[in-house]
Each structure stands twice: as C-alpha cells, then as structure tokens.
Amino acid sequence: MAKIGIFVGTVYGNALLVAEEAEPALQAQGHEVKIFEDATLAQWQNYSSDVALVITSTTGQGDFPDSIAGLFHAVKDKLGHQPELRYGVIALGDSSYDTFCGAGKTFDALLQEQGAQRVGDILLVDATEHPEPESVTSPWVEAWGKLL
C-alpha cells in the first residue's frame, strides 16, 4: 500500500474537513496517511517517491490560502523534476468566480510541469452546487485510493 501525505490549503476549514474525511477512508484501504497544514518543503520532500494529495480551496483572484501558499512557492522555486512523485488534487472553489478552483488547477499544472504522475483526474468541487464538499470528495477519495 502507499504512503500518502495530504497537503491542505484552507481558509474557512472546508479543505481541512475534506482531508479529515479522506484520512480514515484511505487508511481503511491499507494506506499510511498523514495530514499536513502549513506544510514545509521538507515535509513535502518526505513524500517525493511516494504519494501527495493536495486539497486546497482558492482565495481572491485564484490565489492560494496562506496555509499552502508557502509550500507551493517552495516546490516551484526549489524543486525541479519530480518524476517519482504520484499525486492527486482536490480543488475547492466557487463557480461564480472567474478563477474557479484556481489554486488547485495551478498546483496541478506545476506538478505536471515537474514531471510528477497524476493519479486519476483532478476533482473540482463547486461550493454553489455542493455546500458540503465531502458528499463529492468522499466517493472520489475511495476510487482514487484504489488506483494507487
């Protein structure tokens, strides 16, 4: 089974709630899982040959929440090619904004650029349709965990 780091970017707590729902679901599948809020580059690098699950909301004009912005910029500025990393992205957003799920899409694009291997499709969760995101994320996490 996989060693999975869940890296969370949250403002109001929804992304953290999704992570806390995902953790036991993935553990039940036999994976080793740890959640990181305000993660450091060193914590990210501990999963460089394992699996990262990025769960982030979007703020402002497609910006990252403070709790994950530092990690994103460190990965972008200090890491290059990451071909051994497997990852998934759950992006939370509001489709009434032009930058719908911008933070998650940006993180995904960076990891693609760095040669990481995305497992499954990025999940875009629209708060206007799903005010309780776990109704959409829980089934996705179950399926994603089986792909690892």
Side-chain angles (χ1 to χ4, degrees), residues 70-83:
L71 175 65
F72 171 80
H73 291 293
V75 169
K76 181 179 181 194
D77 298 340
K78 297 181 178 163
L79 296 182
H81 207 51
Q82 298 189 75

Side-chain angles (χ1 to χ4, degrees), residues 4-97:
I4 304 168
I6 300 178
F7 297 88
V8 180
T10 194
V11 177
Y12 300 113
N14 282 341
L16 181 59
L17 177 66
V18 168
E20 289 171 344
E21 295 270 334
E23 183 182 32
L26 292 167
Q27 288 171 333
Q29 292 179 353
H31 301 296
E32 179 187 325
V33 185
K34 185 165 171 113
I35 296 173
F36 297 94
E37 276 188 278
D38 296 311
T40 65
L41 184 61
Q43 290 168 326
W44 177 270
Q45 288 177 300
N46 285 337
Y47 292 84
S48 63
S49 58
D50 295 298
V51 182
L53 176 56
V54 175
I55 302 175
T56 187
S57 57
T58 298
T59 66
Q61 298 300 309
D63 301 321
F64 288 96
D66 290 342
S67 63
I68 201 167
L71 175 65
F72 171 80
H73 291 293
V75 169
K76 181 179 181 194
D77 298 340
K78 297 181 178 163
L79 296 182
H81 207 51
Q82 298 189 75
E84 293 182 25
L85 176 69
R86 293 182 297 155
Y87 76 96
V89 176
I90 296 176
L92 307 179
D94 182 328
S95 63
S96 66
Y97 290 86

Side-chain angles (χ1 to χ4, degrees), residues 87-138:
Y87 76 96
V89 176
I90 296 176
L92 307 179
D94 182 328
S95 63
S96 66
Y97 290 86
D98 292 338
T99 55
F100 174 59
C101 291
K105 290 175 181 176
T106 301
F107 216 128
D108 177 59
L110 173 64
L111 295 176
Q112 287 288 294
E113 188 179 297
Q114 292 182 335
Q117 306 164 50
R118 185 176 61 217
V119 177
D121 293 324
I122 183 172
L123 177 62
L124 306 177
V125 182
D126 185 355
T128 62
E129 291 180 24
H130 304 286
E132 295 181 4
E134 58 278 4
S135 66
V136 179
T137 60
S138 292

